Amino acid sequence: MTTKTSDTGRTSKASKAAGNEAGKASRADAFRPLLVDVAVPIGSYYLLKDAFGASTFAALAWSSLVPAVRTGWSAVREGRTNSLAALILVVNVVSLVLGFVSGDPRLMLAKDSGVSSVIGIGILVSVALGRPMMTAAVKPFVVKGDAVREAAWQRLASGAAAGSAVFRRKERLFSLVWGVALLGECVARVVGAYTVPVDTMVWLGSVIMAGVMAVTFVVSGRLAARPMECLLAAELERAGLEHAGLESAEPKARRAVPEAAFAA
């Protein structure tokens, strides 16, 4: 009896450990697109420019390599375009083109806002097309690398769940908030570039960008991300109740069948 109990305990611990490892792996899978499509290009740009002393043009060109490969690979292998990788590639190309603009210091300050405008327009277009781009950013935080939560997300996103309509509206709203915020930041920085003294705008531009990002995180979280989490939790509870109902119904159905049927 003691041996059986200890074996059961070891099995339980092994299952828990396996579950933890699977959770870590799924979390890594969930965040990998963000790391590859966003963090790597941006990080490599600053690494090449600041640490290795590369020119702005060279840093932008080399940091475009990963999103370019990702975009081409998705188009060839999966028959679709990787939206995040494509957007980062477009942003880098626009920055390369604008990099040739020189001379007027106010124009140089204004062109920095071009990145925000390209991203904002790209996000708004994706909402209009019904494929909100910022879903890739919010999903890892809602799903948390859990396979059960991932399945619930898919049911809500595909229209198979009771709260699908509201969930998809919130999904679009999350991207809409970010698209509008980035366009607003672009407008504010362009206006500042031509109305505020250049020396002031050099540091004020970064303050505007950081402030817009912080406010947008809060607003998009309250208006969209948090309601999406609540809808996902409700879907998990509904699915759990259905599963429990099926399990309890099975022995009842078995008792209702005559013993002779099982004997046959």
Side-chain angles (χ1 to χ4, degrees), residues 5 23 40 49 55-56 78 101 110 116 133 137 153 162 169 176-177 180 183 190 201 229 232 247 256:
T5 303
V40 170
K49 189 172 183 295
S55 66
T56 300
E78 302 171 15
V101 178
S116 297
M133 194 175 292
W153 174 289
R169 279 202 301 272
L176 183 64
V177 169
V180 171
L183 277 181
V190 169
M201 196 57 200
E229 285 192 275
L232 190 137
E247 286 186 340

Side-chain angles (χ1 to χ4, degrees), residues 72-86:
W73 178 260
S74 297
V76 172
R77 177 170 181 144
E78 302 171 15
R80 63 181 180 83
T81 302
N82 186 293
S83 56
L84 269 178

Side-chain angles (χ1 to χ4, degrees), residues 3-4 16 19 29 32 41 53 56 68 72 74 87 99 128 151 157 171-172 179 194 196 211 224 226 235 248 260 264:
T3 304
K4 187 178 291 186
K16 188 180 291 185
D29 290 339
R32 188 174 293 120
T56 300
S74 297
L87 180 62
E171 185 183 4
R172 291 192 295 271
Y194 286 97
V196 177
R226 195 174 301 170
E235 171 60 20
S248 62

